[in-house]
Amino acid sequence: MTVGFTLFAMVLITVIFHISSTRQIRRESIANNTQSLERMENELSSQVHKLSVKMQTIYTEESLINNMRNRLADGGNLRYFYWTAGNFVKNRFTTSDELMAMYIYDSKSRLVSSYRSNVVYYPYDIYTDIKAMNGQVVLNYVDSDETEILLSGYYNETAKKSIVRMVMKLHDYDGNRREYGYIVCDFDGFLFTDIMSKYCASDALVWIQPLGDQPIATLHGESENAYFDAISGSILLAGNTGDVTLQEEYGDFYLCSTFLEKYGLYSVMLMPSSLVLKTQQTLIRTLILVSLLMLIITFLVSMAFTRIYSKPVEEMKDKIIKIREGDMSLRVKPVGWSEELELLGVEFNDMLDQIQNMITEKYETELLVKRTQYQALQAQVNPHFLYNTLDTMSGIANSQNCFLVSNLCQSLSAIFRYSLDISDSLSNMEKELIHVKNYLYVMDVRNGYQTGYDYQVDDEIMDDCIPRITLQPIVENAISHGLRPSKKDTKHITVKARHAEGNLLIEITDNGIGMETEALNEALKENSLDRVETGDSIGILNVNARIKKAFGNAYGVSVESVPQEGTTVKLVMPIRKEYEIGTETI
């Protein structure tokens, strides 16, 4: 019965496709050919732009340009520039540009200089036979206010080839834009038909035609198509009105066209409808063949489906039993004919992965807690003996007028008191800055006062709560890894703190050697406990971990750096005032 329904469906699909395919294939064929014309149009535009750039280098012929300006003003003589066009072509164009002739005219269309690749095929002046050379289009352009390059052309009967013409006005680049001449370049139409042939089928008639002008490049011969004159005539006559109305079908041909507004250029393609019918017939034959193949496959699948359906379920059941018995390394193979069965296998594997990750994280967390507790017990071993000894040393040094040693002992004592006080894991910004200043004083004495410091912290921030010993590890990293290797004469650290977007933003900047930040920022984002305990950059990773544990994963540390210029470490925390919260454990 399944086979019967399948056969009926295949026949129905084939009939419906036969009825509807002609219109659909026609639309798709026109759309595809229009896209081909657009790609062709883009490459033609690039070619025109490349040639126009070379034409614009005529302005480098300063002697010619200045004399043409003067001629406009006082009627000067330009007979000395007879060879200028030839020299310009030799210096600026190559043989691959296919430049056949070049003419330079003054503002009154008097020839100043010309170049011809063949003096037999190309006239001395395009206005010697204005009709054959399509010169009237050039004169109309010169008398107009158009500033874009003109695209035109004509068919050279002597050379037996189509010529594509580009005309560029010469003018001053000031507010008046006074015109004092123009340049005409005639190129072999092959330069453009070669591009057109890459995008068009061999059976299609393709041409390009400026609005209000004759076709300038044609592919596959217009004489073979009776509709060519009617369509090209519509584009020619539309030069007076600017309105071109083209049909989608002309007899047994489909028409596709695009318009390049910058140059007023139409690209037109006439494609025989027989090509579309061939495509339709090929698709119908393919559809029938595929239908028969699907019918055979459906029959074979329906015979074997019942036998193999239960196999994935049995395999999954056996794996689950082994996992339940304790083999957590096994995973279910998420396959089967049912989408629900495959989804069940994927979700079951994800659940096992999450359970294993939770077990690993729990073990790592317990290990970190044990290490932290052990370190805290070590830190509590009679620290008062150290404080009192440093205070005694400070008093002795002060009595002996050794004020540097006395101050150093006081700073060290303050550092140790603040660092070893684990009664409260939160501090405030004011205490953190005092701790940093004590540390920097000790480092100044040690390093010989080589570093400058700047603190830009608003008074309202001083009672903001942050984890204890947050700033000092960052400053220590800046000195050890940024400033100490630097050979700069002036070394500097800036500590900024402000409220931004509802958060406390702290920035610690140095002008040291900089660093690569991608791997470090990835580690900060990952916040791995293993890296915090044993990896590189332990100080900054530790600070980041404590901030995230205190305030959540939305907060933490990030690093920006430019090699050989410096590094900025940014710490983002919520705004918490000291009087708003009690003691927390971080």
Side-chain angles (χ1 to χ4, degrees), residues 205-397:
L205 170 62
V206 186
W207 73 90
I208 55 176
Q209 181 176 358
L211 183 65
D213 199 352
Q214 63 189 23
I216 61 175
T218 308
L219 199 62
H220 304 144
E222 67 275 12
S223 60
E224 301 175 4
N225 194 296
Y227 302 104
F228 174 80
D229 291 336
I231 299 170
S232 61
S234 299
I235 299 174
L236 175 64
L237 296 176
N240 299 324
T241 63
D243 184 20
V244 179
T245 302
L246 299 177
Q247 304 173 23
E248 288 189 352
E249 295 186 22
Y250 287 84
D252 295 331
F253 293 86
Y254 295 139
L255 182 137
C256 305
S257 64
T258 59
F259 181 64
L260 184 58
E261 186 173 358
K262 181 177 181 180
Y263 301 113
L265 185 68
Y266 271 93
S267 299
V268 185
M269 177 188 293
L270 275 176
M271 181 183 63
S273 58
S274 58
L275 292 178
V276 176
L277 294 177
K278 288 181 181 178
T279 303
Q280 181 188 21
Q281 293 170 358
T282 301
L283 288 175
I284 291 176
R285 286 195 297 268
T286 303
L287 180 60
I288 293 174
L289 181 61
V290 170
S291 299
L292 293 175
L293 184 61
M294 289 183 63
L295 183 63
I296 296 172
I297 293 175
T298 302
F299 176 76
L300 296 176
V301 169
S302 63
M303 295 293 292
F305 186 74
T306 304
R307 299 179 183 176
I308 64 175
Y309 179 82
S310 60
K311 183 178 179 180
V313 178
E314 293 294 331
E315 291 179 353
M316 184 178 295
K317 184 191 72 172
D318 294 339
K319 287 282 181 68
I320 292 175
I321 291 174
K322 291 180 181 180
I323 292 170
R324 185 184 62 185
E325 292 174 352
D327 191 353
M328 297 293 291
S329 62
L330 293 177
R331 291 294 182 269
V332 171
K333 190 176 181 181
V335 295
W337 293 105
S338 170
E339 182 179 350
E340 290 79 6
L341 185 63
E342 183 176 351
L343 180 61
L344 178 62
V346 172
E347 294 296 331
F348 185 78
N349 287 340
D350 288 344
M351 181 187 69
L352 290 176
D353 291 338
Q354 291 176 11
I355 292 173
Q356 205 157 24
N357 290 335
M358 291 173 62
I359 293 173
T360 302
E361 289 180 1
K362 181 180 179 183
Y363 173 76
E364 291 176 348
T365 303
E366 290 177 350
L367 186 60
L368 179 60
V369 169
K370 290 179 180 179
R371 289 176 181 172
T372 304
Q373 290 173 344
Y374 179 75
Q375 293 169 357
L377 292 173
Q378 282 185 320
Q380 289 177 334
V381 177
N382 201 13
H384 297 288
F385 173 76
L386 182 59
Y387 307 153
N388 295 335
T389 301
L390 287 171
D391 289 340
T392 301
M393 291 172 62
S394 174
I396 294 172

Side-chain angles (χ1 to χ4, degrees), residues 43 49 102 121 130 178 236 356 379 397 423 468 478 483 508 556 576:
E43 187 169 350
H49 176 72
M102 175 178 171
Y121 291 163
I130 194 168
R178 182 186 62 161
L236 175 64
Q356 205 157 24
S423 61
R468 179 181 292 273
L483 298 178
I508 300 176
R576 302 282 178 86

Side-chain angles (χ1 to χ4, degrees), residues 557-569:
V557 182
S558 62
V559 182
E560 297 176 358
S561 183
V562 178
Q564 304 307 320
E565 291 187 15
T567 302
T568 297
V569 178

Side-chain angles (χ1 to χ4, degrees), residues 426-557:
L426 283 180
S427 184
N428 61 34
M429 193 66 188
E430 182 177 12
K431 295 176 182 178
E432 278 290 295
L433 285 176
I434 292 173
H435 181 60
V436 168
K437 291 177 181 179
N438 282 325
Y439 170 76
L440 290 176
Y441 176 75
V442 173
M443 295 305 296
D444 274 348
V445 174
R446 176 183 173 187
N447 297 327
Y449 301 95
Q450 296 179 351
T451 306
Y453 310 106
D454 183 22
Y455 302 93
Q456 301 176 17
V457 181
D458 298 336
D459 291 339
E460 62 175 350
I461 295 176
M462 289 301 183
D463 59 351
D464 284 7
C465 286
I466 65 175
R468 179 181 292 273
I469 312 180
T470 295
L471 303 184
Q472 182 269 330
I474 309 301
V475 173
E476 181 178 353
N477 276 350
I479 294 174
S480 300
H481 304 297
L483 298 178
R484 185 171 296 163
S486 175
K487 297 181 179 180
K488 294 180 179 179
D489 294 333
T490 302
K491 301 179 181 181
H492 196 271
I493 292 178
T494 301
V495 179
K496 297 180 182 179
R498 57 191 172 89
H499 289 164
E501 299 181 358
N503 292 322
L504 171 60
L505 174 61
I506 303 173
E507 298 178 333
I508 300 176
T509 304
D510 68 77
N511 65 340
I513 62 173
M515 62 183 296
E516 294 295 334
T517 62
E518 184 177 356
L520 179 56
N521 280 322
E522 188 65 29
L524 291 169
K525 183 178 180 181
E526 182 182 354
N527 193 30
S528 170
L529 295 178
D530 287 339
R531 289 290 303 274
V532 171
E533 285 295 297
T534 62
D536 297 331
S537 303
I538 294 176
I540 193 170
L541 293 174
N542 183 284
V543 170
N544 179 67
R546 289 190 289 118
I547 291 176
K548 289 184 180 296
K549 189 167 187 342
F551 304 121
N553 289 327
Y555 306 97
V557 182

Side-chain angles (χ1 to χ4, degrees), residues 121-122 155-161 163:
Y121 291 163
Y122 304 100
Y155 183 77
N156 190 307
E157 292 287 350
T158 307
K160 301 299 181 184
K161 63 175 62 179
I163 299 298

